[in-house]
Amino acid sequence: MNDIEKLKKNYLPMTETAFYILLSLSEPRHGYGIAKYVSELTENRIKLGSGTIYGTLTKMQRDSLIRIFDDSDKKVIYEITENGIALLHCEIDRIKCLYADAAREENKFNVIGEK
């Protein structure tokens, strides 16, 4: 089993936290920058707490999905790795399939109370 297959087994389906952290790393960011970006992207639907972010960042760094881009200042800045990008694409494809299935089947369900 290659690295990406192991990562898929451990990460897919992704939690919203993991998904949005990887999605936020389209450019290098520090923890607060990730939280702010995710909040703005989701129009405040998702607000990541620092404990959640840093726990997930630690796990992702250990699994080589992200790496430290810079830590010369007081803030550690992270960037996504090739494995992280590959895994993110796998999750995006999975979500696209979910969406397509839901869109195709949605009209089969009546609003509660309708016949």
Side-chain angles (χ1 to χ4, degrees), residues 16-73:
E16 280 190 337
T17 298
F19 178 75
Y20 280 105
I21 285 174
L22 289 179
L23 196 63
S24 74
L25 291 175
S26 56
E27 63 184 54
R29 289 189 164 84
H30 52 75
Y32 176 73
I34 291 169
K36 187 176 176 191
Y37 184 85
V38 170
S39 182
E40 290 170 1
L41 178 67
T42 64
E43 298 177 339
N44 292 318
R45 185 176 57 84
I46 296 176
K47 294 182 180 179
L48 300 176
S50 60
T52 301
I53 288 174
Y54 289 106
T56 305
L57 287 171
T58 298
K59 182 177 189 294
M60 288 180 159
Q61 187 179 359
R62 184 184 66 232
D63 293 337
S64 300
L65 298 178
I66 63 170
R67 65 179 158 246
I68 293 175
F69 176 77
D70 183 26
D71 66 352
S72 59
D73 200 2

